[in-house]
Amino acid sequence: ADCFSNDIHKLDTTNMMWTLISAKGTPARWRDFHSATIIGTKMYVFGGRADRFGPFHSNNEIYCNRIKVFDTETNSWLDSPPTPVLPEGRRSHSAFSYNGELYVFGGYNARLNRHFHDLWKFNPVSLSWRKIEPKGKGPCPRRRQCCCRVGDKIILFGGTSPSPEEGMGDEFDLMDHSDLYILDFSPSLKTLCKLAVIQYSLDQSCLPHDIRWELSAMTTNSTISRPIAS
C-alpha cells in the first residue's frame, strides 16, 4: 500500500534474519525520508515527511522537528521534552553522530518550499539543540546528500538542489550535485592557517610549493567530470 510506516525491524547479523520489534511506548509518527541515528544503545529519529491525517498520503504533509528516541535495550519509545531551540522540520537530510552527539545537515521542507544548508547539533544528555557555524565556505542548500564520518572528518558528497535554470518551478525542477566537502571537527594548526589565507586573500607567493598546491586544491571546483563521449 502507498502509505507511511512507523514499524521497527531488527536484523540479526549472525544469521542475517529480520525480526519485527513489538515496541512499547508511544511510537514515532508514521513518516518517510527521516533519519535514525544510533548513539550508544538509543536510536534518535529526526525529521521526515508525514501526513496530517494518518499513515496514508493525502497531500497534507507535515514536517516534525522533534526528536523521538527508541531504547534498543528495552525496545521502548521514550518521551523527550520539548526544547526552546529547534531546527526547522525537514526530510532527506543527513544525520550522523560524533563524540556522543547528533548532527543534522541540510534537507528539504515542501511546505516552506525550502532547501537547507544549516548544521545543527543535538546533545542527548541535556536534550538541547545548538546551531553550528563552521568556518570556511560550505555546501549550498541541498537534500539527498551523502555524509560519511571518517575519523574526525565528515565527508559530504553530492545532493540535490533547485535548478538555477527556468523550468517547472516546483520541487521537480532540480539539479544533482557531484561536489565534495570536508567538515573537520579537529583541524590542525596547519589547516586553520590555510583557511585564514583563503578567507583573507593573503599573498601566497612566499609559501612553499606544496602548501600552494594544497590551497589550490581547497579552492578548486571538486565536481566529478562526466565521461567524454567518444
Side-chain angles (χ1 to χ4, degrees):
D2 184 18
C3 64
F4 299 103
S5 172
N6 60 356
D7 293 340
I8 295 182
H9 293 78
K10 178 176 70 175
L11 175 66
D12 187 333
T13 56
T14 58
N15 57 22
M16 302 305 292
M17 297 290 291
W18 285 98
T19 304
L20 175 63
I21 299 298
S22 179
K24 298 182 285 288
T26 304
R29 191 182 185 94
W30 309 280
R31 65 187 73 193
D32 61 6
F33 299 116
H34 55 282
S35 60
T37 309
I38 288 289
I39 301 177
T41 60
K42 294 182 174 63
M43 179 175 71
Y44 294 83
V45 176
F46 175 76
R49 177 186 63 175
D51 194 277
R52 189 175 303 278
F53 299 111
F56 294 94
H57 294 269
S58 70
N59 292 323
N60 286 275
E61 297 180 359
I62 58 174
Y63 293 84
C64 179
N65 61 351
R66 294 276 300 275
I67 284 279
K68 194 69 178 179
V69 184
F70 181 76
D71 190 325
T72 61
E73 290 187 318
T74 62
N75 287 341
S76 301
W77 287 102
L78 308 179
D79 292 326
S80 55
T83 57
V85 179
L86 291 169
E88 291 279 3
R90 62 195 68 196
R91 66 176 173 96
S92 305
H93 54 280
S94 294
F96 51 87
S97 64
Y98 178 77
N99 278 356
E101 294 180 300
L102 171 69
Y103 289 79
V104 169
F105 170 80
Y108 173 70
N109 185 311
R111 293 188 67 87
L112 301 175
N113 191 25
R114 181 181 172 192
H115 285 76
F116 300 96
H117 63 157
D118 48 355
L119 178 66
W120 289 81
K121 179 173 71 172
F122 177 78
N123 186 307
V125 177
S126 63
L127 300 176
S128 60
W129 285 97
R130 183 163 71 91
K131 188 176 182 180
I132 306 299
E133 301 285 356
K135 294 182 174 61
K137 182 181 179 182
C140 68
R142 63 185 66 196
R143 56 173 150 160
R144 301 171 179 164
Q145 63 281 337
C146 175
C147 285
C148 298
R149 185 167 72 87
V150 181
D152 292 322
K153 297 180 175 65
I154 300 298
I155 313 298
L156 182 151
F157 176 76
T160 302
S161 293
S163 174
E165 300 178 359
E166 292 292 333
M168 299 173 66
D170 55 25
E171 69 165 300
F172 299 103
D173 186 21
L174 302 171
M175 61 177 291
D176 293 323
H177 296 287
S178 60
D179 50 3
L180 183 144
Y181 289 84
I182 299 176
L183 175 64
D184 194 341
F185 282 109
S186 184
S188 64
L189 178 59
K190 178 182 177 182
T191 296
L192 294 174
C193 290
K194 288 189 291 185
L195 287 173
V197 170
I198 295 170
Q199 180 179 355
Y200 298 107
S201 302
L202 302 179
D203 179 29
Q204 303 179 21
S205 60
C206 60
L207 297 176
H209 178 269
D210 59 334
I211 299 296
R212 283 185 278 124
W213 183 91
E214 291 174 8
L215 288 167
S216 175
M218 291 173 68
T219 54
T220 301
N221 193 324
S222 62
T223 55
I224 297 175
S225 60
R226 300 187 182 279
I228 299 175
S230 58

